[in-house]
Amino acid sequence: MRFTKTAAAAIAAITLAAFGLAGCGNASTATSSEDDKTITIAASPTPHAEILNKAVKPIVEKDGYKLEVKEFTDYVQPNTATEDGEVDANYFQHKPYLDNFNKEKGTHLVSVETVHFEPFGLYPGKTKSLDALADGATVAVPNDATNEARALLLLQDAGLIELKNPEDINSTPKDITSNPKNLQFKELEAAVVPTVIKDVDIAALNGNYAIQAGFDVTKDALELEKADGLAAKTYANILVVKEGNENTAKTKELKKALNSDAVRDYINDNYKGAVVPVF
């Protein structure tokens, strides 16, 4: 019995010591987290990652931060990575897409800054001009709700279709009231649309995917959103973080850097109208 009490006392002492070490470890981790100067951000390769690596990185490094840019070629993973805390922020999307993503996926992501606008365009595939489109021509469009609506609005601007509400940013193919050329729609994930350009008559492309596909946006587009139109106000690309992180030091640093003169100059000098700063 005496041995058992002694052993129990020893075990209790070891347990307390272990809790004490764990507590020290947690405190150390908290301090380490507060002192963390590495900002991780998810982005599409073009133009977002280019802007971050070429123009933003020097600014944050001067302020004592390290910037790590993780590139994604789709429009889903950057948001899930931000929601899961794998990255501090993302930069690739516009507000309507974010709002729809939150609604569909149950995520808690918020916009904290607008940065630039990428004119959405119609680009030639098998058919090289809009006038040459034959009856029943195929148009590849993004299949997510916001970008498909954007494509439909642009087709309307080009005089190819008419919509029930000409300014409805939630339009779907069901809202088409006139389609004189009997256009057929090939609905695909936005990242896939540029890969089928040779198999369709024309394609509706987001600015970043048009650049990646090798198009000169201002020269090759058959129809392009206007920089002073509804689209520019609605579809500006934004800096996004998880709700609760709007006012962290890292978020404030990214906001300051992305809305700097250096970033504005980089965009204007390198994209020649394919990317337009909105700050």
Side-chain angles (χ1 to χ4, degrees):
M1 191 69 177
R2 187 178 302 162
F3 175 79
T4 303
K5 288 181 179 179
T6 303
I11 291 170
I14 291 171
T15 302
L16 286 170
F19 276 120
L21 287 172
C24 292
N26 287 339
S28 175
T29 301
T31 301
S32 174
S33 177
E34 290 172 4
D35 293 341
D36 181 18
K37 291 291 186 178
T38 298
I39 302 173
T40 56
I41 183 167
S44 297
T46 305
H48 309 81
E50 294 171 354
I51 293 169
L52 290 166
N53 283 316
K54 300 294 185 180
V56 172
K57 184 174 285 188
I59 297 172
V60 302
E61 287 181 347
K62 187 176 180 181
D63 290 340
Y65 288 90
K66 177 182 178 182
L67 186 68
E68 289 186 357
V69 181
K70 296 187 176 183
E71 297 186 18
F72 295 88
T73 56
D74 72 294
Y75 284 174
V76 176
Q77 292 184 78
N79 274 340
T80 56
T82 307
E83 175 74 12
D84 294 342
E86 296 173 17
V87 295
D88 297 305
N90 71 55
Y91 170 43
F92 76 96
Q93 66 194 315
H94 49 63
K95 188 68 162 47
Y97 180 84
L98 172 66
D99 291 343
N100 189 68
F101 191 95
N102 278 331
K103 182 179 179 181
E104 289 191 348
K105 308 293 185 182
T107 44
H108 310 83
L109 305 173
V110 293
S111 169
V112 292
E113 198 68 66
T114 56
V115 184
H116 76 261
F117 164 65
E118 296 170 22
F120 197 93
L122 299 177
Y123 293 87
K126 294 186 295 184
T127 302
K128 302 308 177 185
S129 74
L130 298 181
D131 291 337
L133 284 172
D135 184 74
T138 303
V139 184
V141 298
N143 64 3
D144 62 273
T146 53
N147 284 310
E148 182 168 45
R150 197 173 178 183
L152 295 175
L153 289 170
L154 189 57
L155 287 165
Q156 177 182 246
D157 289 345
L160 295 171
I161 63 172
E162 290 181 10
L163 296 168
K164 188 190 315 182
N165 181 343
E167 295 188 353
D168 185 4
I169 63 170
N170 298 306
S171 294
T172 72
K174 293 180 180 179
D175 296 312
I176 296 174
T177 57
S178 176
N179 183 6
K181 286 185 178 290
N182 191 33
L183 298 177
Q184 304 299 305
F185 297 97
K186 192 176 185 68
E187 299 169 301
L188 302 163
E189 184 181 342
V192 177
V193 175
T195 69
V196 303
I197 196 98
K198 295 179 181 178
D199 302 317
V200 297
D201 290 285
I202 59 173
L205 294 174
N206 296 80
N208 59 315
Y209 288 133
I211 295 170
Q212 289 178 39
F215 286 113
D216 182 319
V217 174
T218 56
K219 293 181 180 179
D220 297 331
L222 303 176
E223 185 76 17
L224 202 62
E225 290 173 334
K226 305 299 186 289
D228 58 352
L230 173 65
K233 299 173 184 176
T234 306
Y235 299 111
N237 281 210
I238 52 181
L239 175 66
V240 171
V241 300
K242 187 172 184 180
E243 187 177 347
N245 294 332
E246 296 95 325
N247 296 306
T248 66
K250 292 181 180 181
T251 299
K252 290 178 180 177
E253 180 67 21
L254 281 173
K255 288 172 63 176
K256 183 186 79 170
L258 279 166
N259 275 188
S260 65
D261 290 341
V263 167
R264 182 188 294 107
D265 291 344
Y266 178 84
I267 290 173
N268 288 332
D269 291 344
N270 288 276
Y271 298 108
K272 313 297 183 186
V275 182
V276 182
V278 293
F279 56 90

